[in-house]
PDB file of all heavy atoms in Angstrom:
ATOM      1  N   PHE A1423      25.022  29.024-273.176  1.00 96.00           N
ATOM      2  CA  PHE A1423      24.979  29.467-271.747  1.00 96.00           C
ATOM      3  C   PHE A1423      25.463  30.889-271.615  1.00 96.00           C
ATOM      4  O   PHE A1423      24.963  31.655-270.803  1.00 96.00           O
ATOM      5  CB  PHE A1423      25.898  28.529-270.901  1.00 96.00           C
ATOM      6  CG  PHE A1423      25.332  27.230-270.577  1.00 96.00           C
ATOM      7  CD1 PHE A1423      24.306  26.644-271.378  1.00 96.00           C
ATOM      8  CD2 PHE A1423      25.653  26.540-269.385  1.00 96.00           C
ATOM      9  CE1 PHE A1423      23.725  25.452-271.101  1.00 96.00           C
ATOM     10  CE2 PHE A1423      25.070  25.316-269.099  1.00 96.00           C
ATOM     11  CZ  PHE A1423      24.099  24.767-269.924  1.00 96.00           C
ATOM     12  N   ASN A1424      26.367  31.304-272.458  1.00 94.00           N
ATOM     13  CA  ASN A1424      26.849  32.724-272.391  1.00 94.00           C
ATOM     14  C   ASN A1424      25.698  33.636-272.825  1.00 94.00           C
ATOM     15  O   ASN A1424      25.620  34.769-272.393  1.00 94.00           O
ATOM     16  CB  ASN A1424      28.114  32.933-273.195  1.00 94.00           C
ATOM     17  CG  ASN A1424      29.342  32.440-272.409  1.00 94.00           C
ATOM     18  OD1 ASN A1424      29.464  32.658-271.208  1.00 94.00           O
ATOM     19  ND2 ASN A1424      30.229  31.758-273.041  1.00 94.00           N
ATOM     20  N   THR A1425      24.821  33.144-273.732  1.00 94.00           N
ATOM     21  CA  THR A1425      23.628  33.919-274.119  1.00 94.00           C
ATOM     22  C   THR A1425      22.648  34.017-272.990  1.00 94.00           C
ATOM     23  O   THR A1425      21.959  35.004-272.816  1.00 94.00           O
ATOM     24  CB  THR A1425      22.945  33.246-275.340  1.00 94.00           C
ATOM     25  OG1 THR A1425      23.917  32.973-276.295  1.00 94.00           O
ATOM     26  CG2 THR A1425      21.893  34.100-275.913  1.00 94.00           C
ATOM     27  N   LEU A1426      22.528  32.911-272.219  1.00 94.00           N
ATOM     28  CA  LEU A1426      21.556  32.857-271.090  1.00 94.00           C
ATOM     29  C   LEU A1426      21.986  33.727-269.872  1.00 94.00           C
ATOM     30  O   LEU A1426      21.194  34.182-269.096  1.00 94.00           O
ATOM     31  CB  LEU A1426      21.300  31.457-270.663  1.00 94.00           C
ATOM     32  CG  LEU A1426      20.786  30.461-271.655  1.00 94.00           C
ATOM     33  CD1 LEU A1426      20.685  29.121-271.086  1.00 94.00           C
ATOM     34  CD2 LEU A1426      19.429  30.972-272.235  1.00 94.00           C
ATOM     35  N   ARG A1427      23.257  33.906-269.827  1.00 91.00           N
ATOM     36  CA  ARG A1427      23.847  34.711-268.716  1.00 91.00           C
ATOM     37  C   ARG A1427      23.193  36.046-268.547  1.00 91.00           C
ATOM     38  O   ARG A1427      22.945  36.747-269.473  1.00 91.00           O
ATOM     39  CB  ARG A1427      25.324  34.951-268.961  1.00 91.00           C
ATOM     40  CG  ARG A1427      26.073  35.694-267.992  1.00 91.00           C
ATOM     41  CD  ARG A1427      27.397  36.243-268.554  1.00 91.00           C
ATOM     42  NE  ARG A1427      28.218  35.238-269.163  1.00 91.00           N
ATOM     43  CZ  ARG A1427      28.943  34.382-268.370  1.00 91.00           C
ATOM     44  NH1 ARG A1427      28.970  34.468-267.090  1.00 91.00           N
ATOM     45  NH2 ARG A1427      29.676  33.404-268.917  1.00 91.00           N
ATOM     46  N   GLY A1428      22.749  36.417-267.356  1.00 90.00           N
ATOM     47  CA  GLY A1428      22.088  37.631-267.072  1.00 90.00           C
ATOM     48  C   GLY A1428      20.565  37.638-267.224  1.00 90.00           C
ATOM     49  O   GLY A1428      19.880  38.306-266.557  1.00 90.00           O
ATOM     50  N   LYS A1429      20.102  36.732-268.138  1.00 93.00           N
ATOM     51  CA  LYS A1429      18.677  36.621-268.265  1.00 93.00           C
ATOM     52  C   LYS A1429      18.062  35.654-267.298  1.00 93.00           C
ATOM     53  O   LYS A1429      16.844  35.794-266.880  1.00 93.00           O
ATOM     54  CB  LYS A1429      18.333  36.091-269.713  1.00 93.00           C
ATOM     55  CG  LYS A1429      18.868  37.026-270.786  1.00 93.00           C
ATOM     56  CD  LYS A1429      18.309  36.570-272.134  1.00 93.00           C
ATOM     57  CE  LYS A1429      18.933  37.446-273.276  1.00 93.00           C
ATOM     58  NZ  LYS A1429      20.152  36.840-273.875  1.00 93.00           N
ATOM     59  N   HIS A1430      18.774  34.641-266.925  1.00 95.00           N
ATOM     60  CA  HIS A1430      18.453  33.670-265.858  1.00 95.00           C
ATOM     61  C   HIS A1430      19.605  33.560-264.927  1.00 95.00           C
ATOM     62  O   HIS A1430      20.761  33.828-265.337  1.00 95.00           O
ATOM     63  CB  HIS A1430      18.143  32.295-266.510  1.00 95.00           C
ATOM     64  CG  HIS A1430      17.040  32.311-267.598  1.00 95.00           C
ATOM     65  ND1 HIS A1430      15.767  32.031-267.367  1.00 95.00           N
ATOM     66  CD2 HIS A1430      17.217  32.528-268.886  1.00 95.00           C
ATOM     67  CE1 HIS A1430      15.039  32.120-268.463  1.00 95.00           C
ATOM     68  NE2 HIS A1430      15.997  32.389-269.405  1.00 95.00           N
ATOM     69  N   THR A1431      19.339  33.073-263.764  1.00 96.00           N
ATOM     70  CA  THR A1431      20.432  32.705-262.830  1.00 96.00           C
ATOM     71  C   THR A1431      20.701  31.211-263.140  1.00 96.00           C
ATOM     72  O   THR A1431      19.697  30.402-263.275  1.00 96.00           O
ATOM     73  CB  THR A1431      19.983  32.913-261.383  1.00 96.00           C
ATOM     74  OG1 THR A1431      19.430  34.198-261.191  1.00 96.00           O
ATOM     75  CG2 THR A1431      21.148  32.683-260.459  1.00 96.00           C
ATOM     76  N   LEU A1432      21.924  30.877-263.266  1.00 97.00           N
ATOM     77  CA  LEU A1432      22.282  29.482-263.583  1.00 97.00           C
ATOM     78  C   LEU A1432      23.223  28.872-262.579  1.00 97.00           C
ATOM     79  O   LEU A1432      24.281  29.557-262.282  1.00 97.00           O
ATOM     80  CB  LEU A1432      22.868  29.324-265.003  1.00 97.00           C
ATOM     81  CG  LEU A1432      21.914  29.515-266.138  1.00 97.00           C
ATOM     82  CD1 LEU A1432      22.334  30.745-266.985  1.00 97.00           C
ATOM     83  CD2 LEU A1432      22.009  28.305-267.082  1.00 97.00           C
ATOM     84  N   ILE A1433      22.964  27.653-262.136  1.00 97.00           N
ATOM     85  CA  ILE A1433      23.950  26.923-261.437  1.00 97.00           C
ATOM     86  C   ILE A1433      24.253  25.647-262.205  1.00 97.00           C
ATOM     87  O   ILE A1433      23.390  24.875-262.572  1.00 97.00           O
ATOM     88  CB  ILE A1433      23.502  26.509-259.984  1.00 97.00           C
ATOM     89  CG1 ILE A1433      23.051  27.758-259.230  1.00 97.00           C
ATOM     90  CG2 ILE A1433      24.578  25.760-259.259  1.00 97.00           C
ATOM     91  CD1 ILE A1433      22.508  27.422-257.833  1.00 97.00           C
ATOM     92  N   VAL A1434      25.494  25.523-262.660  1.00 97.00           N
ATOM     93  CA  VAL A1434      25.949  24.454-263.516  1.00 97.00           C
ATOM     94  C   VAL A1434      26.930  23.517-262.807  1.00 97.00           C
ATOM     95  O   VAL A1434      28.009  23.982-262.443  1.00 97.00           O
ATOM     96  CB  VAL A1434      26.565  24.998-264.803  1.00 97.00           C
ATOM     97  CG1 VAL A1434      26.881  23.902-265.811  1.00 97.00           C
ATOM     98  CG2 VAL A1434      25.607  26.052-265.517  1.00 97.00           C
ATOM     99  N   VAL A1435      26.560  22.285-262.646  1.00 96.00           N
ATOM    100  CA  VAL A1435      27.490  21.272-262.156  1.00 96.00           C
ATOM    101  C   VAL A1435      28.182  20.699-263.292  1.00 96.00           C
ATOM    102  O   VAL A1435      27.540  20.258-264.271  1.00 96.00           O
ATOM    103  CB  VAL A1435      26.744  20.164-261.373  1.00 96.00           C
ATOM    104  CG1 VAL A1435      27.657  18.922-261.148  1.00 96.00           C
ATOM    105  CG2 VAL A1435      26.188  20.747-260.031  1.00 96.00           C
ATOM    106  N   GLU A1436      29.487  20.729-263.314  1.00 94.00           N
ATOM    107  CA  GLU A1436      30.299  20.228-264.513  1.00 94.00           C
ATOM    108  C   GLU A1436      31.630  19.648-264.067  1.00 94.00           C
ATOM    109  O   GLU A1436      32.225  19.953-263.107  1.00 94.00           O
ATOM    110  CB  GLU A1436      30.591  21.375-265.450  1.00 94.00           C
ATOM    111  CG  GLU A1436      29.776  21.359-266.717  1.00 94.00           C
ATOM    112  CD  GLU A1436      29.850  20.122-267.543  1.00 94.00           C
ATOM    113  OE1 GLU A1436      30.880  19.399-267.464  1.00 94.00           O
ATOM    114  OE2 GLU A1436      28.851  19.780-268.290  1.00 94.00           O
ATOM    115  N   HIS A1437      32.024  18.646-264.891  1.00 90.00           N
ATOM    116  CA  HIS A1437      33.305  18.051-264.731  1.00 90.00           C
ATOM    117  C   HIS A1437      34.333  18.633-265.815  1.00 90.00           C
ATOM    118  O   HIS A1437      35.519  18.416-265.550  1.00 90.00           O
ATOM    119  CB  HIS A1437      33.274  16.486-264.784  1.00 90.00           C
ATOM    120  CG  HIS A1437      32.705  15.880-263.650  1.00 90.00           C
ATOM    121  ND1 HIS A1437      33.455  15.613-262.523  1.00 90.00           N
ATOM    122  CD2 HIS A1437      31.409  15.541-263.300  1.00 90.00           C
ATOM    123  CE1 HIS A1437      32.715  15.009-261.595  1.00 90.00           C
ATOM    124  NE2 HIS A1437      31.455  14.973-262.047  1.00 90.00           N
ATOM    125  N   ASP A1438      33.821  19.065-266.854  1.00 92.00           N
ATOM    126  CA  ASP A1438      34.680  19.482-268.008  1.00 92.00           C
ATOM    127  C   ASP A1438      35.221  20.938-267.661  1.00 92.00           C
ATOM    128  O   ASP A1438      34.563  21.927-267.854  1.00 92.00           O
ATOM    129  CB  ASP A1438      33.825  19.548-269.286  1.00 92.00           C
ATOM    130  CG  ASP A1438      34.684  19.904-270.524  1.00 92.00           C
ATOM    131  OD1 ASP A1438      35.667  20.650-270.361  1.00 92.00           O
ATOM    132  OD2 ASP A1438      34.225  19.547-271.594  1.00 92.00           O
ATOM    133  N   MET A1439      36.485  20.918-267.222  1.00 91.00           N
ATOM    134  CA  MET A1439      37.059  22.250-266.826  1.00 91.00           C
ATOM    135  C   MET A1439      37.296  23.176-268.014  1.00 91.00           C
ATOM    136  O   MET A1439      37.220  24.468-267.833  1.00 91.00           O
ATOM    137  CB  MET A1439      38.404  22.077-266.143  1.00 91.00           C
ATOM    138  CG  MET A1439      38.299  21.996-264.625  1.00 91.00           C
ATOM    139  SD  MET A1439      37.319  23.289-263.844  1.00 91.00           S
ATOM    140  CE  MET A1439      38.423  24.709-263.667  1.00 91.00           C
ATOM    141  N   GLY A1440      37.379  22.726-269.203  1.00 92.00           N
ATOM    142  CA  GLY A1440      37.557  23.580-270.402  1.00 92.00           C
ATOM    143  C   GLY A1440      36.235  24.332-270.560  1.00 92.00           C
ATOM    144  O   GLY A1440      36.205  25.560-270.759  1.00 92.00           O
ATOM    145  N   PHE A1441      35.126  23.598-270.492  1.00 95.00           N
ATOM    146  CA  PHE A1441      33.778  24.230-270.554  1.00 95.00           C
ATOM    147  C   PHE A1441      33.564  25.200-269.410  1.00 95.00           C
ATOM    148  O   PHE A1441      33.103  26.345-269.624  1.00 95.00           O
ATOM    149  CB  PHE A1441      32.769  23.088-270.497  1.00 95.00           C
ATOM    150  CG  PHE A1441      31.338  23.575-270.521  1.00 95.00           C
ATOM    151  CD1 PHE A1441      30.770  24.028-271.692  1.00 95.00           C
ATOM    152  CD2 PHE A1441      30.509  23.473-269.336  1.00 95.00           C
ATOM    153  CE1 PHE A1441      29.392  24.540-271.701  1.00 95.00           C
ATOM    154  CE2 PHE A1441      29.182  23.957-269.438  1.00 95.00           C
ATOM    155  CZ  PHE A1441      28.632  24.383-270.548  1.00 95.00           C
ATOM    156  N   VAL A1442      33.926  24.798-268.233  1.00 95.00           N
ATOM    157  CA  VAL A1442      33.761  25.675-267.061  1.00 95.00           C
ATOM    158  C   VAL A1442      34.548  26.969-267.261  1.00 95.00           C
ATOM    159  O   VAL A1442      34.014  28.076-266.957  1.00 95.00           O
ATOM    160  CB  VAL A1442      34.254  24.905-265.751  1.00 95.00           C
ATOM    161  CG1 VAL A1442      34.360  25.872-264.557  1.00 95.00           C
ATOM    162  CG2 VAL A1442      33.326  23.775-265.381  1.00 95.00           C
ATOM    163  N   ARG A1443      35.720  26.853-267.773  1.00 94.00           N
ATOM    164  CA  ARG A1443      36.545  28.024-268.021  1.00 94.00           C
ATOM    165  C   ARG A1443      35.833  29.004-269.024  1.00 94.00           C
ATOM    166  O   ARG A1443      35.923  30.228-268.986  1.00 94.00           O
ATOM    167  CB  ARG A1443      37.909  27.726-268.584  1.00 94.00           C
ATOM    168  CG  ARG A1443      38.897  27.375-267.482  1.00 94.00           C
ATOM    169  CD  ARG A1443      40.262  27.163-268.069  1.00 94.00           C
ATOM    170  NE  ARG A1443      41.201  26.837-266.967  1.00 94.00           N
ATOM    171  CZ  ARG A1443      41.802  27.661-266.218  1.00 94.00           C
ATOM    172  NH1 ARG A1443      41.675  28.987-266.449  1.00 94.00           N
ATOM    173  NH2 ARG A1443      42.528  27.329-265.231  1.00 94.00           N
ATOM    174  N   ASP A1444      35.150  28.400-270.051  1.00 94.00           N
ATOM    175  CA  ASP A1444      34.468  29.145-271.073  1.00 94.00           C
ATOM    176  C   ASP A1444      33.266  29.899-270.540  1.00 94.00           C
ATOM    177  O   ASP A1444      32.803  30.883-271.166  1.00 94.00           O
ATOM    178  CB  ASP A1444      34.073  28.271-272.206  1.00 94.00           C
ATOM    179  CG  ASP A1444      35.189  27.910-273.120  1.00 94.00           C
ATOM    180  OD1 ASP A1444      36.285  28.521-272.994  1.00 94.00           O
ATOM    181  OD2 ASP A1444      34.997  26.965-273.965  1.00 94.00           O
ATOM    182  N   ILE A1445      32.689  29.389-269.477  1.00 95.00           N
ATOM    183  CA  ILE A1445      31.342  29.992-269.094  1.00 95.00           C
ATOM    184  C   ILE A1445      31.424  30.708-267.733  1.00 95.00           C
ATOM    185  O   ILE A1445      30.660  31.619-267.471  1.00 95.00           O
ATOM    186  CB  ILE A1445      30.179  29.074-269.109  1.00 95.00           C
ATOM    187  CG1 ILE A1445      30.519  27.821-268.084  1.00 95.00           C
ATOM    188  CG2 ILE A1445      29.990  28.437-270.490  1.00 95.00           C
ATOM    189  CD1 ILE A1445      29.206  27.004-267.856  1.00 95.00           C
ATOM    190  N   ALA A1446      32.330  30.242-266.804  1.00 87.00           N
ATOM    191  CA  ALA A1446      32.117  30.671-265.472  1.00 87.00           C
ATOM    192  C   ALA A1446      32.792  32.017-265.116  1.00 87.00           C
ATOM    193  O   ALA A1446      33.816  32.354-265.582  1.00 87.00           O
ATOM    194  CB  ALA A1446      32.706  29.591-264.505  1.00 87.00           C
ATOM    195  N   GLU A1447      32.147  32.751-264.283  1.00 87.00           N
ATOM    196  CA  GLU A1447      32.785  33.877-263.645  1.00 87.00           C
ATOM    197  C   GLU A1447      33.292  33.443-262.306  1.00 87.00           C
ATOM    198  O   GLU A1447      34.497  33.504-261.963  1.00 87.00           O
ATOM    199  CB  GLU A1447      31.743  35.086-263.407  1.00 87.00           C
ATOM    200  CG  GLU A1447      31.315  35.691-264.648  1.00 87.00           C
ATOM    201  CD  GLU A1447      29.946  36.426-264.482  1.00 87.00           C
ATOM    202  OE1 GLU A1447      29.390  36.387-263.396  1.00 87.00           O
ATOM    203  OE2 GLU A1447      29.460  36.930-265.485  1.00 87.00           O
ATOM    204  N   THR A1448      32.363  32.921-261.452  1.00 95.00           N
ATOM    205  CA  THR A1448      32.832  32.349-260.186  1.00 95.00           C
ATOM    206  C   THR A1448      32.576  30.914-260.192  1.00 95.00           C
ATOM    207  O   THR A1448      31.497  30.401-260.621  1.00 95.00           O
ATOM    208  CB  THR A1448      31.977  32.986-259.057  1.00 95.00           C
ATOM    209  OG1 THR A1448      32.129  34.443-259.224  1.00 95.00           O
ATOM    210  CG2 THR A1448      32.428  32.651-257.694  1.00 95.00           C
ATOM    211  N   ILE A1449      33.538  30.132-259.643  1.00 96.00           N
ATOM    212  CA  ILE A1449      33.378  28.728-259.478  1.00 96.00           C
ATOM    213  C   ILE A1449      33.391  28.355-258.006  1.00 96.00           C
ATOM    214  O   ILE A1449      34.246  28.863-257.267  1.00 96.00           O
ATOM    215  CB  ILE A1449      34.632  28.065-260.205  1.00 96.00           C
ATOM    216  CG1 ILE A1449      34.602  28.387-261.708  1.00 96.00           C
ATOM    217  CG2 ILE A1449      34.581  26.514-259.945  1.00 96.00           C
ATOM    218  CD1 ILE A1449      35.893  27.928-262.373  1.00 96.00           C
ATOM    219  N   SER A1450      32.431  27.539-257.600  1.00 97.00           N
ATOM    220  CA  SER A1450      32.458  27.046-256.172  1.00 97.00           C
ATOM    221  C   SER A1450      32.923  25.657-256.214  1.00 97.00           C
ATOM    222  O   SER A1450      32.481  24.836-257.028  1.00 97.00           O
ATOM    223  CB  SER A1450      31.083  27.118-255.667  1.00 97.00           C
ATOM    224  OG  SER A1450      30.583  28.454-255.668  1.00 97.00           O
ATOM    225  N   VAL A1451      33.873  25.328-255.388  1.00 97.00           N
ATOM    226  CA  VAL A1451      34.415  23.987-255.317  1.00 97.00           C
ATOM    227  C   VAL A1451      33.901  23.313-254.105  1.00 97.00           C
ATOM    228  O   VAL A1451      34.082  23.834-252.980  1.00 97.00           O
ATOM    229  CB  VAL A1451      35.925  23.995-255.381  1.00 97.00           C
ATOM    230  CG1 VAL A1451      36.437  22.532-255.483  1.00 97.00           C
ATOM    231  CG2 VAL A1451      36.476  24.901-256.434  1.00 97.00           C
ATOM    232  N   MET A1452      33.286  22.140-254.296  1.00 97.00           N
ATOM    233  CA  MET A1452      32.862  21.315-253.140  1.00 97.00           C
ATOM    234  C   MET A1452      33.747  20.146-252.900  1.00 97.00           C
ATOM    235  O   MET A1452      34.324  19.578-253.877  1.00 97.00           O
ATOM    236  CB  MET A1452      31.390  20.827-253.336  1.00 97.00           C
ATOM    237  CG  MET A1452      30.347  21.936-253.238  1.00 97.00           C
ATOM    238  SD  MET A1452      28.676  21.170-253.241  1.00 97.00           S
ATOM    239  CE  MET A1452      28.565  20.318-251.663  1.00 97.00           C
ATOM    240  N   HIS A1453      33.930  19.808-251.646  1.00 96.00           N
ATOM    241  CA  HIS A1453      34.632  18.543-251.312  1.00 96.00           C
ATOM    242  C   HIS A1453      34.063  18.038-250.028  1.00 96.00           C
ATOM    243  O   HIS A1453      33.939  18.743-249.027  1.00 96.00           O
ATOM    244  CB  HIS A1453      36.089  18.918-251.146  1.00 96.00           C
ATOM    245  CG  HIS A1453      37.035  17.741-250.843  1.00 96.00           C
ATOM    246  ND1 HIS A1453      36.885  16.554-251.468  1.00 96.00           N
ATOM    247  CD2 HIS A1453      37.961  17.576-249.934  1.00 96.00           C
ATOM    248  CE1 HIS A1453      37.811  15.716-251.011  1.00 96.00           C
ATOM    249  NE2 HIS A1453      38.482  16.307-250.059  1.00 96.00           N
ATOM    250  N   GLN A1454      33.729  16.754-249.999  1.00 95.00           N
ATOM    251  CA  GLN A1454      33.190  16.111-248.823  1.00 95.00           C
ATOM    252  C   GLN A1454      32.038  16.868-248.162  1.00 95.00           C
ATOM    253  O   GLN A1454      31.959  17.114-247.039  1.00 95.00           O
ATOM    254  CB  GLN A1454      34.293  15.894-247.822  1.00 95.00           C
ATOM    255  CG  GLN A1454      35.340  14.916-248.319  1.00 95.00           C
ATOM    256  CD  GLN A1454      36.525  14.701-247.430  1.00 95.00           C
ATOM    257  OE1 GLN A1454      36.788  15.513-246.523  1.00 95.00           O
ATOM    258  NE2 GLN A1454      37.236  13.665-247.620  1.00 95.00           N
ATOM    259  N   GLY A1455      31.165  17.342-249.158  1.00 97.00           N
ATOM    260  CA  GLY A1455      29.904  18.021-248.650  1.00 97.00           C
ATOM    261  C   GLY A1455      30.044  19.481-248.217  1.00 97.00           C
ATOM    262  O   GLY A1455      29.115  20.092-247.777  1.00 97.00           O
ATOM    263  N   ARG A1456      31.286  20.028-248.308  1.00 96.00           N
ATOM    264  CA  ARG A1456      31.568  21.345-247.893  1.00 96.00           C
ATOM    265  C   ARG A1456      31.983  22.196-248.990  1.00 96.00           C
ATOM    266  O   ARG A1456      32.512  21.669-250.057  1.00 96.00           O
ATOM    267  CB  ARG A1456      32.623  21.380-246.823  1.00 96.00           C
ATOM    268  CG  ARG A1456      32.290  20.697-245.592  1.00 96.00           C
ATOM    269  CD  ARG A1456      33.571  20.474-244.716  1.00 96.00           C
ATOM    270  NE  ARG A1456      33.241  19.752-243.549  1.00 96.00           N
ATOM    271  CZ  ARG A1456      33.029  20.298-242.336  1.00 96.00           C
ATOM    272  NH1 ARG A1456      33.155  21.617-242.176  1.00 96.00           N
ATOM    273  NH2 ARG A1456      32.747  19.568-241.292  1.00 96.00           N
ATOM    274  N   LEU A1457      31.901  23.570-248.884  1.00 97.00           N
ATOM    275  CA  LEU A1457      32.422  24.461-249.825  1.00 97.00           C
ATOM    276  C   LEU A1457      33.957  24.595-249.464  1.00 97.00           C
ATOM    277  O   LEU A1457      34.297  25.087-248.427  1.00 97.00           O
ATOM    278  CB  LEU A1457      31.778  25.820-249.663  1.00 97.00           C
ATOM    279  CG  LEU A1457      32.174  26.858-250.696  1.00 97.00           C
ATOM    280  CD1 LEU A1457      31.734  26.386-252.139  1.00 97.00           C
ATOM    281  CD2 LEU A1457      31.502  28.249-250.415  1.00 97.00           C
ATOM    282  N   LEU A1458      34.790  24.146-250.416  1.00 96.00           N
ATOM    283  CA  LEU A1458      36.224  24.110-250.159  1.00 96.00           C
ATOM    284  C   LEU A1458      36.860  25.457-250.676  1.00 96.00           C
ATOM    285  O   LEU A1458      37.866  25.869-250.021  1.00 96.00           O
ATOM    286  CB  LEU A1458      36.837  22.959-250.985  1.00 96.00           C
ATOM    287  CG  LEU A1458      38.383  22.713-250.790  1.00 96.00           C
ATOM    288  CD1 LEU A1458      38.688  22.271-249.430  1.00 96.00           C
ATOM    289  CD2 LEU A1458      38.822  21.649-251.791  1.00 96.00           C
TER     290      LEU A1458
END
Side-chain angles (χ1 to χ4, degrees):
F1423 281 28
N1424 281 320
T1425 309
L1426 299 178
R1427 178 196 304 284
K1429 300 188 184 96
H1430 303 265
T1431 308
L1432 286 115
I1433 303 179
V1434 183
V1435 166
E1436 252 306 332
H1437 282 277
D1438 180 338
M1439 264 315 273
F1441 177 74
V1442 167
R1443 277 185 180 277
D1444 280 349
I1445 62 167
E1447 290 157 1
T1448 306
I1449 299 169
S1450 301
V1451 188
M1452 285 187 73
H1453 181 47
Q1454 296 177 340
R1456 294 167 184 258
L1457 186 64
L1458 182 69

